[in-house]
Amino acid sequence: MTINPLAKKLDRYIIRKFLGTFFFALLLIILIVVIFDISEKIDDFLVKQAPLKAIIFDYYFNFIPYFANLFSSMFIFIAVIFFTSKMAGDSEIIAILSSGISYRRLMYPYFVSALILSILSFLLINWVIPPANKHRLEFEEKYIRNKFTNREHDIHQQILPGQFIYMESYNNDYNIGYKFAIEQIEDGELKSKLISDYVQWDSTINKWRASNCYIRTFEDGKEQVVFHRKLDTTLNMFPTDFTRRRNVVEAMNYQELNAFIEEETRKGAENIVLWKLEKHQRFASVFSTFILTLIGVSLSSRKTRGGIGLNIGIGILLAFTYIMFMQVSTVLATNANVPPVIAVWIPNVIFGFIGIFLYNKAKR
């Protein structure tokens, strides 16, 4: 089978246009965002005396890849529409199709480019960006954010199989859990229960110290109660379990995120849906690259009276509609008990069908 030299030349031309336009647009937007971010946070930097070296290397060097990947799908979409509309406006698309290259074959270099960017995005979001986010979040915690305060009430967790704890509230300034209780249940029966006014983490011995606690044990139908003014105890829970923000998962790679979700599921954590959404979004965002590329080419490969401006306007509208669908799916998962994997993939499925429809319409 002979390979059409024109097709190979066309592939290189479109791939170069695709990647070049994408990275140029990304660089331009990043410069604008960094300038606005500096103007917004300059007061925090000055008030909290953030060192210039830390601002540049700990924050912005780690902020840039995070931001670039966060909106990469939208930038890909706009880049495709921009240079394809220009090709259509210059009658290049008509010349390509007139040379015997089918519309389907025209899509080949677009999807090769999308594959390159999706692989890059997958590697970044799962293994490169998490360590960078760790430094970025540490910087934000020290120089930008207000001190974290745990506002949860009536905290229930399973810390080990059959071992359940309860706290009315937790003070993360002093690492104290108020109205603390721990139950040991075996074969559906309560074997022991500790009730304490409060427990406090003792960092010198790495143990929890319970104050004014009663230990009730049940055996052979008999109950025994023992009182302790102070009692040091080792529990499978740590102050960090109650002092982390929701975005802590941004600093975890894929393996760490899976292990974290498994541990939080065992504990019965309230925010488990958010962690699962983060996990599935890391895959869904990769596939969105192909869907938005398909829509972008299908929309902009025909010459229109409105020219590039009209196509870019439609493209931006669709891009923001896609982002809105992503937000709606998050609400469905957190408030309507929709499984996270389904909620995350709903926008891709819907826009996938839109892409196929526009593709079939454009190739006629």
Side-chain angles (χ1 to χ4, degrees):
M1 180 180 176
T2 59
I3 300 177
N4 188 344
L6 178 61
K8 291 181 64 177
K9 190 174 181 178
L10 173 66
D11 292 343
R12 291 193 297 269
Y13 176 72
I14 291 179
I15 291 172
R16 187 169 64 249
K17 283 273 191 180
F18 192 146
L19 299 181
T21 305
F22 168 73
F23 285 111
F24 177 77
L26 192 61
L27 178 62
L28 189 63
I29 295 296
I30 285 174
L31 288 174
I32 295 172
V33 168
V34 168
I35 291 171
F36 275 98
D37 193 72
I38 291 174
S39 66
E40 181 184 346
K41 295 185 172 68
I42 188 67
D43 290 338
D44 293 317
F45 296 156
L46 294 175
V47 170
K48 298 187 178 180
Q49 299 180 344
L52 180 61
K53 182 180 179 181
I55 293 172
I56 296 173
F57 294 101
D58 291 343
Y59 184 62
Y60 282 108
F61 268 39
N62 296 309
F63 170 81
I64 288 172
Y66 164 76
F67 177 83
N69 191 78
L70 185 65
F71 293 100
S72 61
S73 296
M74 188 172 70
F75 294 144
I76 287 171
F77 191 42
I78 293 173
V80 168
I81 287 179
F82 179 79
F83 83 85
T84 306
S85 295
K86 194 172 185 306
M87 288 174 62
D90 295 338
S91 300
E92 293 181 67
I93 300 292
I94 295 174
I96 291 169
L97 297 176
S98 299
S99 67
I101 295 176
S102 66
Y103 194 86
R104 181 178 179 182
R105 179 62 181 81
L106 176 66
M107 298 295 299
Y108 176 79
Y110 283 96
F111 279 104
V112 169
S113 302
L115 178 63
I116 293 171
L117 293 176
S118 62
I119 291 173
L120 178 62
S121 175
F122 182 76
L123 295 175
L124 283 173
I125 198 171
N126 285 296
W127 288 282
V128 177
I129 292 178
N133 277 342
K134 183 178 180 181
H135 295 293
R136 178 180 63 84
L137 293 174
E138 287 174 354
F139 179 92
E140 289 180 351
E141 204 67 36
K142 188 174 182 180
Y143 297 110
I144 299 175
R145 294 179 180 273
N146 294 324
K147 184 177 177 61
F148 176 79
T149 301
N150 190 315
R151 302 184 185 280
E152 290 186 61
H153 290 276
D154 297 328
I155 302 169
H156 296 82
Q157 283 189 6
Q158 177 180 246
I159 58 175
L160 284 173
Q163 197 171 74
F164 301 85
I165 63 104
Y166 166 80
M167 285 184 283
E168 186 179 84
S169 61
Y170 187 85
N171 185 317
N172 58 281
D173 289 328
Y174 301 101
N175 291 322
I176 298 177
Y178 296 100
K179 300 296 182 182
F180 178 81
I182 180 170
E183 297 179 341
Q184 185 68 45
I185 298 176
E186 297 178 7
D187 299 325
E189 294 184 2
L190 179 64
K191 293 297 183 181
S192 66
K193 182 171 184 176
L194 180 151
I195 303 174
S196 173
D197 287 348
Y198 64 89
V199 291
Q200 184 171 19
W201 177 254
D202 189 336
S203 59
T204 60
I205 58 175
N206 290 332
K207 289 185 178 181
W208 294 94
R209 176 165 293 169
S211 299
N212 299 328
C213 62
Y214 292 88
I215 301 177
R216 302 168 59 195
T217 55
F218 305 90
E219 188 173 356
D220 298 328
K222 297 180 180 180
E223 177 183 355
Q224 182 179 1
V225 181
V226 178
F227 174 78
H228 296 273
R229 181 70 62 184
K230 299 287 183 182
L231 178 65
D232 294 335
T233 181
T234 302
L235 300 173
N236 187 38
M237 68 178 195
F238 303 92
T240 52
D241 295 340
F242 309 100
T243 58
R244 56 193 173 205
R245 299 183 190 270
R246 290 184 176 184
N247 61 352
V248 65
V249 292
E250 294 177 4
M252 298 179 186
N253 62 33
Y254 187 69
Q255 289 83 0
E256 291 169 342
L257 180 57
N258 271 333
F260 178 75
I261 290 174
E262 185 177 341
E263 178 70 12
E264 292 299 293
T265 301
R266 183 181 59 76
K267 290 180 178 180
E270 294 181 357
N271 294 326
I272 190 65
V273 171
L274 297 177
W275 314 147
K276 289 183 177 181
L277 284 170
E278 170 71 19
K279 172 185 174 180
H280 295 301
Q281 282 170 353
R282 293 188 181 188
F283 284 94
S285 62
V286 173
F287 283 91
S288 68
T289 300
F290 296 96
I291 295 170
L292 294 176
T293 297
L294 178 64
I295 295 175
V297 178
S298 302
L299 275 176
S300 55
S301 57
R302 288 177 176 271
K303 185 185 292 189
T304 59
R305 289 184 178 181
I308 296 177
L310 178 62
N311 287 336
I312 291 178
I314 295 173
I316 292 175
L317 177 63
L318 280 173
F320 279 103
T321 303
Y322 176 80
I323 294 173
M324 184 191 71
F325 266 85
M326 291 294 292
Q327 295 301 318
V328 170
S329 66
T330 301
V331 173
L332 289 175
T334 53
N335 297 325
N337 295 323
V338 175
V341 63
I342 295 177
V344 167
W345 283 93
I346 283 175
N348 278 351
V349 172
I350 293 174
F351 277 78
F353 281 114
I354 292 174
I356 293 171
F357 169 77
L358 292 175
Y359 168 77
N360 289 328
K361 185 177 179 181
K363 74 177 184 179
R364 290 171 188 168

